[in-house]
């Protein structure tokens, strides 16, 4: 099972002109989606007071969607509807759908979110649950899928995994009374490289085929921006008997995903990066349908299902309020839900998802390919390996990256460059000691913004 191979866009000699960038924006079929968002203003970024959104002509260049997406305008509308429901009918909001509201009754709101999220990750609605946060969901999934035996107890992971993943895996190994130093296997790139070759991952899978239980990798590596070959790695790991999980924090809403088709066992993601649902927003998880089945062959009172940490809201609504302590799990990912989900969090999530419902990840990916390729083209234009003061450590192959390019600066340059970008109203993410992560998001960023960023960035390097 493989992904369709994508070709990199090319650009003419005059690609760095304002006129050319403007022509790309004018031809962009998704340009209207930018109007669905509130772009932070330069004035507000420079202020220390809470302020109303700035004027559109004062907009910053926001290339930090890989850390926190900006606010959709729909959030205010959805939040007002939710607060009006709560204030007007109180507890009845759990079971009453109000005319004119964009939100379902509270009991069904997580399903409303899952119905939109499933299209972003390539799954059936029943395979997706809106719940918790990324690390919490990873803990819950590992509790179900990491079942170490006397011989198979290791977990394979990315050498530079985000600390939350590292801590989660480390703690689960320790929870089973095992030594994490012996049972956490870190997969890194070859010496002098930044990208981890798929063949290198295969070699680790082969080496630990007899003693590993799970492989958990990021769909996109947060530091380098590398997009892993999810279908190929999943298939290969399964052929060696491993359970396969993916952290989609930087892949959700960024690249095309086919979790069901690729036969992934489980996955988790946050929704506040490319998903634009707000800081610390409710996350999501995927459980393949084969792991979410509920067998009643031994009777209604004796369901058989994959073991997980159970909670009241993972039980079927038809018997949830019988309060008889007989757990009847919802088939699919819904059966992994623990608690009554926060309606406030679900409201902002549904608002953000309403923007995705206006387009498709396939169309967003097509624009993203061109945006990121344009960024790369302008960064490298009129430079050579010898005189360039930075290195793009994100793969050049569009099949191996999403929206983000990570720029590794020469020692001592990061602070000055980051400050000049900030002063110019350009928001990017920096990672010590020398990386600037730049993420032009197709939902709301433009080609003209890419051109202006490169101009300021190169000016900062020269100063």
């Amino acid at each position: 099972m493989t992904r369709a191979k994508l070709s990199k866009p090319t650009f003419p000699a005059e690609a760095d002109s304002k006129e050319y960038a403007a022509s790309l924006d004018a031809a962009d079929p998704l340009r209207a989606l930018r109007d669905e968002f509130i772009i932070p203003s330069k004035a507000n970024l420079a202020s220390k007071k809470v302020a109303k959104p700035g004027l559109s002509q004062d907009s910053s260049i926001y290339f930090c969607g890989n850390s926190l997406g900006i606010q959709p305008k729909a959030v205010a509308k959805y939040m007002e509807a939710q607060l009006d429901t709560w204030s007007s009918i109180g507890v009845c909001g759990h079971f009453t759908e109000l005319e004119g509201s964009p939100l379902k009754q509270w009991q069904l709101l997580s399903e409303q979110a899952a119905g939109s999220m499933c299209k972003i990750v390539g799954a059936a609605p029943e395979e997706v649950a809106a719940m918790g946060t990324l690390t919490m969901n990873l803990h819950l999934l590992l509790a179900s899928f990491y079942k170490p035996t006397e011989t198979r107890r290791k977990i394979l992971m990315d050498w530079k995994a985000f600390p939350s993943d590292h801590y989660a895996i480390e703690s689960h190994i320790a929870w089973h009374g095992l030594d994490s130093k012996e049972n956490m296997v870190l997969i890194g790139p070859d010496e002098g490289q930044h990208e981890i070759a798929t063949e290198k991952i295969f070699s680790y899978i082969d080496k630990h085929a007899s003693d590993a239980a799970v492989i958990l990798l990021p769909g996109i590596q947060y530091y380098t921006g590398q997009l892993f070959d999810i279908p190929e790695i999943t298939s290969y790991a399964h052929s060696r008997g491993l359970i396969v999980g993916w952290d989609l924090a930087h892949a959700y809403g960024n690249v095309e995903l086919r979790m069901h088709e690729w036969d992934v066992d489980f996955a988790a993601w946050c929704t506040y990066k490319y998903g634009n649902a707000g800081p610390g927003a409710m996350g999501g998880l995927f459980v393949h349908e084969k792991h979410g089945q509920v067998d009643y062959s031994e009777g209604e009172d004796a369901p058989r299902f994959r073991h997980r940490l159970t909670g009241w809201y993972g039980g079927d609504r038809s018997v949830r309020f019988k309060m008889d302590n007989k757990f009847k799990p919802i088939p699919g990912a819904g059966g992994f839900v623990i608690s009554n989900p926060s309606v406030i969090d679900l409201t902002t999530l549904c608002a953000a998802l309403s923007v995705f419902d206006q387009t498709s990840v396939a169309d967003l990916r097509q624009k993203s390919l061109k945006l990121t390729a344009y960024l790369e083209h302008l960064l490298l234009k009129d430079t050579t390996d010898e005189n360039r003061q930075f290195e793009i450590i994100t793969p050049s192959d569009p099949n191996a990256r999403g929206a983000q390019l990570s720029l590794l600066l020469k020692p001592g340059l990061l602070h000055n460059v980051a400050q000049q970008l900030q002063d110019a109203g350009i928001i990017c993410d920096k990672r010590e000691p020398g990386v600037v992560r730049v993420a032009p998001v197709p939902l709301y960023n433009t080609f003209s913004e890419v051109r202006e960023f490169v101009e300021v960035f190169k000016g900062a390097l020269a100063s």
Side-chain angles (χ1 to χ4, degrees), residues 248-266:
L248 303 177
H250 288 266
Y252 171 83
N254 182 7
V255 295
E256 289 190 84
L257 300 167
R258 298 283 184 271
M259 291 292 102
H260 176 84
E261 179 184 327
W262 295 340
D263 200 28
V264 170
D265 293 301
F266 70 90

Side-chain angles (χ1 to χ4, degrees), residues 408-460:
L408 176 61
L409 309 185
K410 288 188 175 181
L413 294 177
L414 181 63
H415 177 75
N416 177 60
V417 169
Q419 187 61 55
Q420 291 201 42
L421 290 173
Q422 179 84 20
D423 292 344
I426 300 175
I427 306 301
C428 298
D429 179 77
K430 65 176 182 179
R431 297 283 161 158
E432 299 287 352
V435 168
V436 175
R437 301 189 309 158
V438 189
V441 176
L443 277 170
Y444 50 78
N445 285 134
T446 68
F447 293 91
S448 293
E449 289 178 322
V450 167
R451 194 205 68 80
E452 185 175 343
F453 162 80
V454 173
E455 186 175 76
V456 174
F457 176 73
K458 287 186 174 181

Side-chain angles (χ1 to χ4, degrees), residues 39-56:
I39 313 293
S41 71
K42 294 178 181 178
N44 284 349
L45 289 172
S47 174
K48 300 298 183 184
K49 296 180 180 180
V50 175
K52 294 293 184 181
L55 300 174
S56 59

Side-chain angles (χ1 to χ4, degrees), residues 64-79:
C64 209
N66 56 338
S67 185
L68 177 68
I70 58 177
Q71 185 183 131
K73 293 176 181 177
V75 168
K77 173 186 174 183
Y78 277 57
M79 190 64 73

